[in-house]
Amino acid sequence: MNRPLLIALFAALSAGLPAGVLAQDAKPAVAARADDATPVLVSADQWRAMAAAGDRYPMFAAERARVEREVRAAMAAGVKVPQPRDLGGGVTHEQHKANYKAIAGAGALYRMTGDKAYADFARDLLLEYARLYPTLSDHPAGKSSVKGRLFWQALNDSVWLVYGAQGYDAIRDTLTVDQRRKIDDDVFRRMARFLSEENAPYFDRIHNHATWATAGVGMAGYVLRDQTLVERALKGTARDGKAGFLRQVDELFSPDGYYAEGPYYQRYALAPFIIFARAIQQNEPERQIFKRRDGVLLKAVDVVIQSSYAGLLFPINDAMPDKGLDSEEIVTGVAIAYAQTRDPRLLSIAQGQGRTLLSPDGLAVAQGVATGEARPFDFRSMQLGDGPNGDLGNLVFLRRGGATGQALVMKNTQQGQGHGHFDRLGWLFYDNGQPVVRDYGAARFLNVEAKGGGGYLDENDSWAMQTVAHNTLVVGQASQFGGDWHVGEERPTKPLFFKAGEGLQIASARLDKAYDGVVLTRTLAMVEHPDLTYPVVIDLFRADGAKPTNYDLPLHFNGHIIKAFEAEHSVRERPVLGQASGYQHLWVDAVAAPSDKARSLTWLLGKRFYTYRFGASAPTSALLVESGANDPSFNLRREPALIQRMQGQADASFFSVLEPHGAYDATAETVSGATSQIRDIARTRGEGAEVIVLTLASGAKLALGVADDVSPIAAHAVRIDGQAYEWTGPYARFDR
Amino acid sequence: MNRPLLIALFAALSAGLPAGVLAQDAKPAVAARADDATPVLVSADQWRAMAAAGDRYPMFAAERARVEREVRAAMAAGVKVPQPRDLGGGVTHEQHKANYKAIAGAGALYRMTGDKAYADFARDLLLEYARLYPTLSDHPAGKSSVKGRLFWQALNDSVWLVYGAQGYDAIRDTLTVDQRRKIDDDVFRRMARFLSEENAPYFDRIHNHATWATAGVGMAGYVLRDQTLVERALKGTARDGKAGFLRQVDELFSPDGYYAEGPYYQRYALAPFIIFARAIQQNEPERQIFKRRDGVLLKAVDVVIQSSYAGLLFPINDAMPDKGLDSEEIVTGVAIAYAQTRDPRLLSIAQGQGRTLLSPDGLAVAQGVATGEARPFDFRSMQLGDGPNGDLGNLVFLRRGGATGQALVMKNTQQGQGHGHFDRLGWLFYDNGQPVVRDYGAARFLNVEAKGGGGYLDENDSWAMQTVAHNTLVVGQASQFGGDWHVGEERPTKPLFFKAGEGLQIASARLDKAYDGVVLTRTLAMVEHPDLTYPVVIDLFRADGAKPTNYDLPLHFNGHIIKAFEAEHSVRERPVLGQASGYQHLWVDAVAAPSDKARSLTWLLGKRFYTYRFGASAPTSALLVESGANDPSFNLRREPALIQRMQGQADASFFSVLEPHGAYDATAETVSGATSQIRDIARTRGEGAEVIVLTLASGAKLALGVADDVSPIAAHAVRIDGQAYEWTGPYARFDR
């Protein structure tokens, strides 16, 4: 979605008034007479307050100037409403996107300046759409299952409607009755009919694409004073509440505000939810939409911010790894949420975004920032329940050291629908401003037409979604759930425990139906110690299988290898690792023969070193690989990974520690702490529990005990070298 | 070298006084009585001005605070002067580096605060060195041909002396006669003797390592009031001027201020030149050292800044690609040059560096910045002659659009001594803040002990220096000059012409002795056209050979391939390209069979697309390759390249155009201009000249004619499709 989309024109607060007051003075559109054409998405008073802001609030003034530049450029280029033809990135696609921005922007500028030229330009565009739109049938290009009329997929048509309705609302009272009827009928009613009645199954889905559709249809309903459209949007085509926007609010977010598809789509889905919710609040405040489900829509804004590191969203599931908090949708979410809550922590996020909306909400943000009310956002450790009832797994964040300190993500969620990856129990780790253990994200070049029209590439299925492309265990060289997301959607992960304690933060989860007859249990802990400069991550991954099989545990590390373990290197010819399930995309660089000794790998990323020490319960080989094989179109990025491989075992324990250390300063040409502060890692299996012991370079020992039985009252004892490790409950830390 | 090295303590100006005045009031050390111990490298008045600055000038106050933090931390840790043992990056190496910084820093802080604790700490460190140093012989580690005593190479010992002398000068008058004699004799005289007398051939070299040695010995001479040491430093061990600092100034820079080894070493060499020059100016102003050779030392400061893009130095020859203008040496150079010239353009560079020196020069910079005198630095097109007389080739910069616009570098220099690469006639291209056509730089992880002790890796010889690792023609799959730099040093490149005109900037050079019997001529032009968004680069590379051979023209492009030409891809097994001369380090990704048609390759870098269109005078195959083969220690970065391969020809012309275009915006998810604005490239050979014709998407034709004869009065005519292209002189542009 595009920045200028968000000239978002809904209610909020003008300067100085407490939240919720102004919204009351907007007459509900549904109660107005059908021939009333005054604005309903932003009230006339709100427009006046925005006009009166002048240049007093820099963020608001900058946004106004930006929209002015953009709209004036569009006006200079003239009215262009081409016959639809192209895929995303193509000329007609980009022109229709530019047009809905221009309509919304021109409408806002007309209201704020009184300059009729803006209103006339929006009118001329809309009349041209009224001429074109009735002549259209399905878009000629692409392979979308639900084609649009203006765009290759109906999704973009819905977005057009959301923004077109806002611009139209702002200028509708400048039109003749004839013009208004023509645009009402031939643009907005036809689009609404196309998206809802003619594509009823699509409209009634519980899915973010349908949220854009319900938002567009509902906002058109408010503008046209058509309560039937509003009801259809809120309650589905049957108007029985089994579908529609309210049902989407109830089902697509967990009670904690987590969106089923993950952060990248949470960001995308946020826009129609929050934009339409704002329109509902403006026109039907009695619905208390922002209080629905204990305020889940506002929680969702907090969650999407928490789901980021150094400004970029955690790229789990289908996600572009360069998508960040400065995206249009999150700018919108932050502004609208701030106008509702006045939470000053949101203002620091707005400052980082560097812009806000040309809307009453954006005005509130700009005023808050200008008056110095911003406070730091509190990135914190948390677990977010997944599923409508919060009982379908969780997403865990363990954090330390603030916005660019350490962040560990553990993915114990549900599948995440069709955009979900087969990466349950996977983890990511961030440190010093960068991803250290990373996720490939989606195989896609967004809107780059030469790369599959800008959509998901074949390699998204063949590589990016596969289990081996993630930091979790692969059983029998196959992906979880046989690579079938519908199966995955039925089989939740079970969180075992979560505790963000002082010096020890820990989370554990179990997955027993990803592979037949194999129970997978992983425990990840972020541990601090006075002899270690930074927190380290201890990982214990157990597989309990019914019969001997092969286990591969990949680690997609980020950085340049400084020191690797002994291995045979493929230096003169580079083979491919496998045939399917993503293995066909891995080049083999080196293979170390099976050993029961712990190994280590050190790499350099930015200004810090990372040493990963790893061992397992049975002899394990270690492979260094790189993505990019079987990729004749150069669709994949080439990224390294380590794979620990154990063969012919039924049960397996993989244990490891990841340690950030040292400093590399290219400017000063100094290096310090390039050697790991950990000397050894060892694991001992006792009765119903295991203990991982780290021996530090200082001589200190740091141990973590993890029990099979997660009961808080079960007692455990493991003896190692004559020493007793005894504890009660699922885990314990020992310092010796 | 390290930031805090540069507490550089030489003369310059305190507030308000014009350049050159204060230096006069410093009594020449050589004229002082031998038992006088007042400071000579920075005068007492200069120290007082620095003390009086207080917090008025933020950059100066910040540097003072930084040095205070560092010195206090060293004092808290106590005196540590370990027995030398480690290579670069190791504990003893880093401790001795930290010590000379601490001695210099503590000396400065003592002078500025009067706090005797600082002086005592510097004294205690120096007395400990006086105890240790006489016991040392050659350093036990490493394989340097000239070992140090404190460090693995004598170079670092020289640097110790340069900084140690500064700190000693500041505190020498606080010592008892016994202490002074002990430190004079057992530290400074012994070090000076070791570096000059005991390593006379090293000291007398015309090389930057020897410059550090002469600077250290000369500064020790001023501090000890030992005119013999000063004379030895200035004129060599024989004191006849055939060696020593003055000879180095005369021979290591070209008249334009270019340093023979290239920008990375120019930066490194700058420090001793400029630091020692400042000490000479302070103590013997009558030498007029900054006016020597028409001010070549000040020109050298300008040249090193010109040799950068987006803050990073052009990484030609052995160079770390992350080395930038913020390096200690350039901070030093900018401060000392500013104090001499008061050129306000240097202040904007200092602002970008974000810091300055704790010295009279640094005070001048901080005052200039605080009073708003900074002006933008003018990065401009230029040619820099190489060699002591400027007649051994040149380095060309073609620029457009300011600091982060387009920059083309053409390397027509001399070899660049042992750190030179076999890359004559090579080019680099920068755009939009990033390298687009790039140089690998050196294969080295600076000071990372696990990577060959932090020195140059074997892959520096086997890959980074080789011709195929650069953007220039490889003849017979062998490197220029048979890969022998001594041979290269004897055979200059011949510049043919250079013109930085409006809309057309062009340079050409010829190399006739890199390969027996083959004359290489390259012409590179940066051309603007109203139908093209950005300037494009046209390249014509001609080889005139005596007999059929094989030609490979690599292009080391930076970015992700968006669209490649038709080719056979090595998708299931990846072979190595060759056996030697760097080819053994290239994996083959794809091979396109010989064709006489022009091809194109489009890639995406950051927010812009780049399309390279290329053809040749005979059927040519095209290979897509990547570095990283035969690299079992993961010492190489993996970077892509295109190789154009023509086989069995005596003469060859390769012609191409590189075009930046379009915009990719990940935040807004928009793409524009992803398609090249050039439709075709063609070349026609006429009588004694050739013409390259670009056909633009707009239909316009843009042609460049290049003559074999570079005489300005020779007339040329080439007919293409019935059209005549006629011109006089070495080149011409045609618009049709």
Side-chain angles (χ1 to χ4, degrees):
Chain A
M1 206 176 66
N2 262 294
R3 304 181 86 209
L5 296 188
L6 295 179
I7 301 166
L9 310 170
F10 332 104
L13 307 163
S14 61
L17 288 173
V21 172
L22 259 183
Q24 305 297 327
D25 81 353
K27 206 187 287 178
V30 288
R33 288 176 47 215
D35 60 352
D36 177 13
T38 56
V40 296
L41 297 178
V42 172
S43 74
D45 281 352
Q46 290 170 329
W47 283 124
R48 275 190 289 275
M50 290 161 67
D55 287 338
R56 272 177 297 163
Y57 311 110
M59 286 181 77
F60 193 73
E63 185 65 5
R64 177 172 163 166
R66 194 187 62 71
V67 174
E68 278 174 352
R69 276 194 306 278
E70 192 166 271
V71 172
R72 282 189 192 146
M75 289 167 72
V79 172
K80 290 183 185 170
V81 180
Q83 184 73 23
R85 184 191 63 214
D86 300 331
L87 288 172
V91 171
T92 71
H93 181 95
E94 295 300 325
Q95 185 64 52
H96 288 296
K97 279 173 74 176
N99 286 350
Y100 63 66
K101 292 185 240 173
I103 293 167
L109 293 173
Y110 162 65
R111 282 287 157 191
M112 292 176 66
T113 63
D115 184 343
K116 190 68 171 13
Y118 289 122
D120 291 350
F121 180 61
R123 176 201 64 202
D124 292 348
L125 277 168
L126 287 167
L127 286 173
E128 196 58 23
Y129 275 101
R131 188 196 57 71
L132 173 72
Y133 194 79
T135 70
L136 301 177
S137 55
D138 276 357
H139 190 279
K143 50 185 178 182
S144 173
S145 60
V146 186
K147 288 188 172 227
R149 295 261 148 103
L150 296 172
F151 298 94
W152 69 280
Q153 55 177 348
L155 171 62
N156 299 84
D157 285 58
S158 300
V159 177
W160 194 104
L161 190 54
V162 167
Y163 291 94
Q166 297 173 40
Y168 186 41
D169 183 52
I171 65 146
R172 196 159 171 266
D173 64 359
T174 70
L175 304 182
T176 66
V177 171
D178 267 6
Q179 289 168 340
R180 201 185 298 161
R181 191 174 52 229
K182 195 164 171 50
I183 296 170
D184 279 8
D185 292 347
D186 288 347
V187 181
F188 290 95
R189 267 187 237 288
R190 276 182 188 265
M191 280 197 192
R193 192 185 322 139
F194 168 69
L195 290 168
S196 57
E197 295 177 66
E198 295 169 26
N199 282 289
Y202 172 77
F203 189 81
D204 285 341
R205 285 177 67 193
I206 306 301
H207 183 277
N208 82 77
H209 285 204
T211 305
W212 279 104
T214 57
V217 170
M219 289 168 72
Y222 287 128
V223 174
L224 270 43
R225 278 73 170 164
D226 184 336
Q227 184 63 8
T228 306
L229 286 184
V230 173
E231 289 288 311
R232 196 188 294 158
L234 291 173
K235 299 180 178 173
T237 54
R239 281 183 273 168
D240 58 3
K242 288 184 181 162
F245 184 77
L246 298 176
R247 186 69 182 267
Q248 290 161 355
V249 172
D250 294 349
E251 297 212 348
L252 284 176
F253 293 100
S254 80
D256 292 328
Y258 177 73
Y259 177 75
E261 294 180 291
Y264 179 79
Y265 276 95
Q266 174 144 0
R267 172 228 25 121
Y268 188 68
L270 200 62
F273 274 109
I274 209 101
I275 290 171
F276 188 29
R278 202 62 200 82
I280 296 169
Q281 179 73 11
Q282 178 96 350
N283 285 281
E284 301 185 79
E286 64 278 11
R287 288 196 185 269
Q288 302 207 353
I289 186 68
F290 282 113
K291 293 191 175 152
R292 193 173 180 100
R293 295 184 72 206
D294 198 25
V296 73
L297 291 177
L298 297 173
K299 284 184 186 172
V301 174
D302 181 67
V303 161
V304 81
I305 300 170
Q306 296 286 358
S307 304
S308 72
Y309 184 87
L312 297 178
L313 298 176
F314 297 133
I316 54 175
N317 293 336
D318 281 348
M320 304 306 300
D322 53 6
K323 181 57 74 176
L325 294 183
D326 59 351
S327 69
E328 185 71 20
E329 302 88 346
I330 304 180
V331 169
T332 306
V334 165
I336 294 177
Y338 177 72
Q340 294 295 319
T341 64
R342 302 283 167 167
D343 181 344
R345 305 170 316 140
L346 293 172
L347 295 178
S348 63
I349 300 297
Q351 285 177 305
Q353 291 168 333
R355 59 172 290 253
T356 189
L357 306 180
L358 193 64
S359 78
D361 316 274
L363 179 58
V365 165
Q367 287 170 333
V369 168
T371 53
E373 288 164 35
R375 297 291 172 271
F377 191 83
D378 62 326
F379 291 99
R380 59 193 188 276
S381 299
M382 56 173 61
Q383 58 174 336
L384 300 166
D386 190 9
N389 301 314
D391 56 0
L392 298 176
N394 66 4
L395 185 68
V396 172
F397 305 148
L398 304 182
R399 293 207 185 239
R400 190 81 175 99
T404 56
Q406 292 75 40
L408 185 158
V409 179
M410 184 178 188
K411 196 197 182 210
N412 309 324
T413 63
Q414 192 68 323
Q415 182 66 23
Q417 304 179 10
H419 288 300
H421 288 192
F422 301 99
D423 60 349
R424 240 61 91 71
L425 302 184
W427 69 301
L428 308 179
F429 183 67
Y430 293 77
D431 178 53
N432 201 24
Q434 299 200 69
V436 175
V437 175
R438 63 186 168 181
D439 190 311
Y440 189 89
R444 179 181 194 184
F445 291 78
L446 201 63
N447 286 342
V448 177
E449 208 168 355
K451 290 291 197 189
Y456 289 102
L457 298 164
D458 292 344
E459 289 78 8
N460 197 56
D461 284 329
S462 65
W463 166 250
M465 282 192 165
Q466 300 295 327
T467 301
V468 76
H470 299 87
N471 304 295
T472 190
L473 198 68
V474 188
V475 181
Q477 295 199 21
S479 285
Q480 296 174 350
F481 310 110
D484 182 340
W485 73 264
H486 297 91
V487 174
E489 206 59 86
E490 299 300 313
R491 301 182 184 175
T493 319
K494 184 182 178 190
L496 297 178
F497 52 85
F498 166 85
K499 180 74 187 292
E502 189 65 40
L504 172 62
Q505 303 188 60
I506 191 165
S508 184
R510 183 165 292 157
L511 180 61
D512 58 3
K513 294 189 181 68
Y515 296 99
D516 286 344
V518 185
V519 179
L520 304 174
T521 306
R522 186 172 219 167
T523 303
L524 283 160
M526 196 190 300
V527 187
E528 293 164 70
H529 189 282
D531 296 345
L532 297 172
T533 312
Y534 304 104
V536 299
V537 177
I538 298 175
D539 177 22
L540 175 62
F541 202 133
R542 290 186 48 210
D544 296 291
K547 56 180 189 204
T549 183
N550 299 332
Y551 294 111
D552 282 350
L553 183 58
L555 184 84
H556 296 268
F557 64 94
N558 181 22
H560 195 114
I561 292 176
I562 294 297
K563 200 163 171 30
F565 40 86
E566 291 268 312
E568 286 292 312
H569 291 257
S570 316
V571 290
R572 299 207 50 80
E573 198 154 57
R574 212 177 177 200
V576 173
L577 184 57
Q579 304 293 324
S581 299
Y583 285 78
Q584 73 275 29
H585 290 298
L586 288 171
W587 294 116
V588 178
D589 276 318
V591 179
S595 163
D596 56 7
K597 296 269 194 304
R599 296 182 171 96
S600 73
L601 178 70
T602 298
W603 64 91
L604 175 64
L605 175 66
K607 302 194 164 191
R608 207 166 277 177
F609 296 89
Y610 297 88
T611 293
Y612 180 71
R613 286 177 192 281
F614 55 101
S617 56
T620 299
S621 59
L623 293 76
L624 289 166
V625 298
E626 190 181 59
S627 55
N630 277 298
D631 177 27
S633 302
F634 298 94
N635 283 342
L636 294 177
R637 293 191 307 275
R638 294 169 174 192
E639 299 183 345
L642 163 71
I643 295 180
Q644 300 171 55
R645 172 166 284 182
M646 187 192 292
Q647 296 187 295
Q649 300 289 327
D651 298 337
S653 277
F654 293 90
F655 57 97
S656 63
V657 59
L658 175 63
E659 174 203 4
H661 58 93
Y664 175 85
D665 185 334
T667 299
E669 301 193 349
T670 53
V671 169
S672 63
T675 306
S676 164
Q677 296 164 308
I678 299 176
R679 195 189 303 153
D680 193 27
I681 185 169
R683 161 201 167 267
T684 301
R685 175 89 198 158
E687 176 72 24
E690 40 205 306
V691 176
I692 297 169
V693 181
L694 304 182
T695 305
L696 309 190
S698 65
K701 283 182 190 283
L702 165 61
L704 184 71
V706 179
D708 300 350
D709 178 353
V710 298
S711 155
I713 55 166
H716 310 281
V718 178
R719 286 197 75 81
I720 305 174
D721 297 339
Q723 285 210 298
Y725 292 81
E726 299 178 351
W727 75 96
T728 300
Y731 67 91
R733 171 194 179 136
F734 304 90
D735 287 281
R736 293 193 178 163
Chain B
M1 206 174 66
N2 262 295
R3 304 180 87 211
L5 295 190
L6 294 179
I7 301 162
L9 311 171
F10 330 104
L13 307 165
S14 60
L17 287 173
V21 172
L22 259 182
Q24 305 298 328
D25 81 355
K27 206 187 287 178
V30 288
R33 287 175 46 214
D35 61 350
D36 177 13
T38 55
V40 296
L41 297 178
V42 173
S43 74
D45 280 351
Q46 290 169 330
W47 282 124
R48 274 191 290 276
M50 289 162 67
D55 287 339
R56 272 177 297 163
Y57 311 109
M59 285 181 77
F60 193 72
E63 184 64 6
R64 176 172 165 167
R66 194 187 62 70
V67 174
E68 278 174 353
R69 277 194 307 277
E70 193 167 271
V71 172
R72 282 189 193 146
M75 290 167 72
V79 172
K80 291 183 185 171
V81 180
Q83 184 73 21
R85 185 190 63 215
D86 301 329
L87 288 172
V91 170
T92 71
H93 182 96
E94 295 300 325
Q95 185 65 52
H96 288 295
K97 278 174 75 176
N99 286 351
Y100 63 68
K101 293 185 240 174
I103 292 167
L109 292 173
Y110 162 65
R111 282 286 155 190
M112 292 176 65
T113 64
D115 184 344
K116 190 70 172 11
Y118 289 123
D120 292 349
F121 181 61
R123 177 201 62 203
D124 293 348
L125 277 168
L126 287 166
L127 286 171
E128 195 58 24
Y129 275 102
R131 188 198 57 73
L132 173 72
Y133 194 80
T135 70
L136 300 178
S137 56
D138 276 356
H139 190 279
K143 48 185 179 181
S144 173
S145 59
V146 186
K147 288 189 174 226
R149 294 261 150 102
L150 297 172
F151 299 94
W152 69 280
Q153 56 177 351
L155 171 62
N156 299 83
D157 285 57
S158 300
V159 177
W160 193 103
L161 189 54
V162 167
Y163 291 95
Q166 296 172 41
Y168 185 42
D169 182 53
I171 65 147
R172 195 158 171 267
D173 63 1
T174 70
L175 304 182
T176 66
V177 171
D178 267 4
Q179 289 167 340
R180 203 184 298 160
R181 191 175 50 229
K182 193 162 173 53
I183 296 170
D184 279 8
D185 292 347
D186 288 346
V187 182
F188 291 94
R189 269 187 235 286
R190 276 183 188 265
M191 281 197 191
R193 192 186 319 139
F194 167 70
L195 290 169
S196 55
E197 296 177 66
E198 294 169 27
N199 282 289
Y202 172 78
F203 189 82
D204 285 341
R205 285 177 67 194
I206 306 301
H207 183 276
N208 82 78
H209 286 205
T211 307
W212 278 105
T214 57
V217 170
M219 289 169 71
Y222 285 129
V223 174
L224 303 186
R225 279 73 173 166
D226 184 336
Q227 183 65 6
T228 306
L229 286 184
V230 172
E231 290 288 312
R232 195 187 297 157
L234 292 173
K235 299 182 178 171
T237 55
R239 281 184 273 167
D240 59 2
K242 290 184 180 162
F245 185 77
L246 298 177
R247 186 70 182 268
Q248 290 161 357
V249 172
D250 293 348
E251 297 212 347
L252 283 176
F253 295 98
S254 80
D256 291 328
Y258 177 74
Y259 177 75
E261 294 180 291
Y264 179 79
Y265 277 95
Q266 174 143 1
R267 171 225 29 117
Y268 188 68
L270 200 61
F273 274 109
I274 209 100
I275 290 170
F276 188 29
R278 202 62 200 81
I280 296 168
Q281 178 73 10
Q282 178 96 353
N283 287 281
E284 300 184 81
E286 65 278 12
R287 289 194 185 271
Q288 302 207 2
I289 185 69
F290 283 113
K291 292 190 175 154
R292 193 174 179 96
R293 292 185 74 207
D294 197 24
V296 73
L297 291 177
L298 297 173
K299 284 184 188 173
V301 175
D302 180 67
V303 161
V304 81
I305 300 169
Q306 297 286 357
S307 305
S308 71
Y309 184 88
L312 298 177
L313 298 176
F314 298 132
I316 54 176
N317 292 336
D318 280 349
M320 305 305 299
D322 53 5
K323 182 56 76 179
L325 294 183
D326 59 351
S327 69
E328 186 70 18
E329 300 88 347
I330 303 180
V331 169
T332 305
V334 165
I336 294 176
Y338 177 73
Q340 293 296 320
T341 65
R342 302 285 167 165
D343 180 345
R345 305 169 316 139
L346 292 171
L347 296 178
S348 64
I349 300 297
Q351 285 177 305
Q353 291 167 334
R355 59 172 290 254
T356 189
L357 305 181
L358 193 62
S359 79
D361 317 274
L363 179 58
V365 165
Q367 287 170 332
V369 167
T371 53
E373 288 165 35
R375 296 291 172 270
F377 191 83
D378 61 328
F379 291 100
R380 60 193 187 278
S381 299
M382 56 174 60
Q383 59 174 336
L384 299 167
D386 191 9
N389 300 314
D391 56 359
L392 298 176
N394 65 5
L395 185 67
V396 171
F397 306 148
L398 304 183
R399 294 208 186 236
R400 189 79 175 101
T404 56
Q406 292 76 39
L408 186 157
V409 180
M410 185 177 187
K411 197 196 183 211
N412 308 324
T413 63
Q414 191 69 323
Q415 182 66 22
Q417 304 180 9
H419 288 300
H421 287 194
F422 301 98
D423 60 349
R424 240 61 90 73
L425 303 185
W427 69 300
L428 307 178
F429 183 67
Y430 293 78
D431 179 52
N432 201 23
Q434 298 200 68
V436 176
V437 175
R438 64 184 168 183
D439 190 310
Y440 189 90
R444 178 180 195 184
F445 290 78
L446 200 64
N447 286 341
V448 177
E449 206 167 358
K451 291 290 197 190
Y456 289 102
L457 298 164
D458 292 344
E459 289 77 10
N460 197 56
D461 284 329
S462 65
W463 166 251
M465 282 192 165
Q466 301 296 326
T467 302
V468 75
H470 299 86
N471 304 294
T472 189
L473 198 69
V474 188
V475 181
Q477 296 199 21
S479 285
Q480 296 173 352
F481 310 110
D484 183 340
W485 73 264
H486 297 91
V487 174
E489 207 58 86
E490 299 300 312
R491 302 182 183 176
T493 318
K494 182 181 180 193
L496 297 179
F497 53 85
F498 166 84
K499 180 75 186 291
E502 190 65 40
L504 171 63
Q505 304 189 59
I506 191 165
S508 185
R510 182 165 293 157
L511 180 62
D512 58 3
K513 294 189 181 68
Y515 297 100
D516 286 344
V518 184
V519 179
L520 304 174
T521 307
R522 187 173 219 168
T523 304
L524 282 159
M526 196 189 301
V527 187
E528 294 164 71
H529 189 281
D531 296 345
L532 298 171
T533 313
Y534 305 104
V536 299
V537 177
I538 298 176
D539 177 23
L540 174 62
F541 204 133
R542 290 184 48 207
D544 296 292
K547 57 182 187 200
T549 184
N550 298 333
Y551 293 111
D552 282 350
L553 182 59
L555 183 84
H556 296 267
F557 63 94
N558 181 21
H560 194 115
I561 292 176
I562 294 298
K563 202 163 167 31
F565 42 84
E566 291 268 310
E568 286 292 312
H569 291 258
S570 317
V571 291
R572 300 206 50 80
E573 201 155 56
R574 213 177 178 200
V576 173
L577 185 57
Q579 303 293 324
S581 299
Y583 285 78
Q584 73 274 29
H585 290 299
L586 289 171
W587 295 117
V588 178
D589 276 318
V591 179
S595 163
D596 56 7
K597 295 270 193 304
R599 296 182 172 96
S600 73
L601 179 69
T602 298
W603 64 90
L604 175 65
L605 175 66
K607 302 195 164 192
R608 207 165 279 176
F609 297 89
Y610 298 87
T611 293
Y612 180 71
R613 286 176 192 282
F614 54 102
S617 57
T620 299
S621 59
L623 292 76
L624 289 165
V625 300
E626 191 181 56
S627 56
N630 278 299
D631 177 27
S633 301
F634 298 93
N635 284 342
L636 293 178
R637 294 190 307 276
R638 294 169 174 194
E639 299 182 345
L642 162 71
I643 295 180
Q644 300 170 56
R645 172 166 283 183
M646 186 191 293
Q647 296 187 298
Q649 301 287 327
D651 298 339
S653 277
F654 293 89
F655 57 98
S656 63
V657 59
L658 176 61
E659 174 201 4
H661 58 93
Y664 174 84
D665 185 333
T667 299
E669 301 193 349
T670 52
V671 169
S672 62
T675 306
S676 162
Q677 296 165 308
I678 298 176
R679 196 191 301 153
D680 193 28
I681 185 169
R683 162 200 166 267
T684 300
R685 175 88 198 157
E687 177 73 24
E690 40 205 307
V691 176
I692 297 167
V693 181
L694 304 182
T695 307
L696 308 190
S698 65
K701 283 183 190 283
L702 166 60
L704 184 71
V706 179
D708 300 349
D709 178 352
V710 297
S711 154
I713 56 164
H716 309 281
V718 178
R719 286 197 75 80
I720 306 174
D721 297 339
Q723 285 209 299
Y725 292 82
E726 299 178 351
W727 74 95
T728 300
Y731 67 92
R733 170 195 179 136
F734 304 90
D735 287 280
R736 294 193 176 161

